[in-house]
Amino acid sequence: MLYRKRRRPRFRKGFVIIVLICFVFGLLIYGFEKKASVFSNSYIPSFAERCATEAINDAVTKKLGELNLSYDDLAKVVYSDDGQPKSIETNSAKINMLKAEATRAAQDEITKIKHSEVLIPLGAFTGLTLISNSGPDIRLTFCMTGSFNSHLESSFESAGINQTLHHIRLVVTANIVTASVDYGDTITFDTDFEVAQTVITGEIPTIYGGTRTIY
């Protein structure tokens, strides 16, 4: 009987310690998850947009270099008998090819980074400013996919006396869907690329003033 009386307090004390450790550990896990959820909503959108923008820029720029299209491939300035610009004709076949190739290149590049991650210093989870950038990196993983469409825009600007610079730009619109365990959203943004330009001599008709979508 004396042996049992001595063992019971030790057993109860050890059990209480284990329960307290599990409770504290559970609180830490809960707090960590809450912080991770906050970081997911603030870090992932900006990181995903930056990664997607860089991927689209690289892919489309590379594709434009491969296609090596000139202004004459896409458009032609038609002059009247008196030497004044009468109209600008576009090559719909080349424009459609350019749009398709650029869109496909962007899609392929986004597919390569479908599974991404953002690194957050462990100190950021403490909420303390002094150590917010300290400690090992914690990886928050997320998936990223997207859909794309593109169009060409035409704009004009003065290039001197009786001369106008005609720009043709490719505008790629990206709809990037990001998702993680506790976060999901869609980011939409445009990226434009200078495709070709030429100097037009003469007075441009007012119909071509400003910026307009040509295809």
Side-chain angles (χ1 to χ4, degrees):
M1 294 296 293
L2 293 175
Y3 175 76
R4 290 180 180 176
K5 288 181 180 180
R6 290 175 182 174
R7 295 291 293 176
R8 282 178 181 172
R10 293 179 181 178
F11 174 77
R12 291 175 181 173
K13 183 178 180 180
F15 178 76
V16 171
I17 292 175
I18 292 173
V19 171
L20 287 175
I21 292 174
C22 291
F23 179 73
V24 172
F25 185 74
L27 287 178
L28 290 174
I29 293 296
Y30 177 77
F32 185 87
E33 287 293 332
K34 293 290 286 183
K35 278 288 186 181
S37 178
V38 173
F39 289 142
S40 294
N41 286 277
S42 58
Y43 278 73
I44 291 179
S46 59
F47 184 78
E49 182 172 351
R50 188 186 73 186
C51 289
T53 300
E54 291 177 354
I56 294 169
N57 284 337
D58 292 343
V60 176
T61 299
K62 181 180 178 181
K63 180 57 64 176
L64 290 176
E66 293 173 355
L67 295 175
N68 193 27
L69 295 172
S70 66
Y71 181 90
D72 292 335
D73 292 324
L74 301 173
K76 177 183 178 182
V77 181
V78 179
Y79 290 89
S80 61
D81 294 337
D82 60 358
Q84 292 298 316
K86 182 173 63 174
S87 64
I88 297 177
E89 298 177 353
T90 57
N91 187 330
S92 59
K94 286 290 181 67
I95 289 176
N96 285 334
M97 181 271 293
L98 170 60
K99 291 164 55 180
E101 290 290 337
T103 301
R104 188 179 299 112
Q107 186 69 64
D108 291 344
E109 197 66 24
I110 288 296
T111 301
K112 294 178 183 178
I113 56 173
K114 179 179 180 180
H115 300 288
S116 301
E117 59 185 23
V118 55
L119 303 179
I120 302 176
L122 181 61
F125 288 84
T126 65
L128 302 176
T129 304
L130 291 177
I131 60 173
S132 60
N133 292 319
S134 303
D137 291 327
I138 304 298
R139 301 174 185 270
L140 296 183
T141 60
F142 64 94
C143 293
M144 179 167 55
T145 186
S147 60
F148 303 87
N149 58 70
S150 59
H151 66 273
L152 264 64
E153 286 186 353
S154 174
S155 64
F156 299 83
E157 64 175 299
S158 176
I161 299 175
N162 205 35
Q163 288 186 328
T164 302
L165 186 61
H166 181 204
H167 297 275
I168 297 179
R169 293 185 176 90
L170 172 70
V171 180
V172 178
T173 300
N175 297 288
I176 304 298
V177 179
T178 56
S180 65
V181 175
D182 49 11
Y183 172 81
D185 197 8
T186 300
I187 307 166
T188 301
F189 59 90
D190 292 335
T191 308
D192 65 276
F193 305 85
E194 181 88 13
V195 178
Q197 60 177 255
T198 192
V199 174
I200 302 174
T201 302
E203 187 174 341
I204 302 299
T206 56
I207 189 174
Y208 292 113
T211 301
R212 55 190 289 273
T213 299
I214 60 175
Y215 218 86

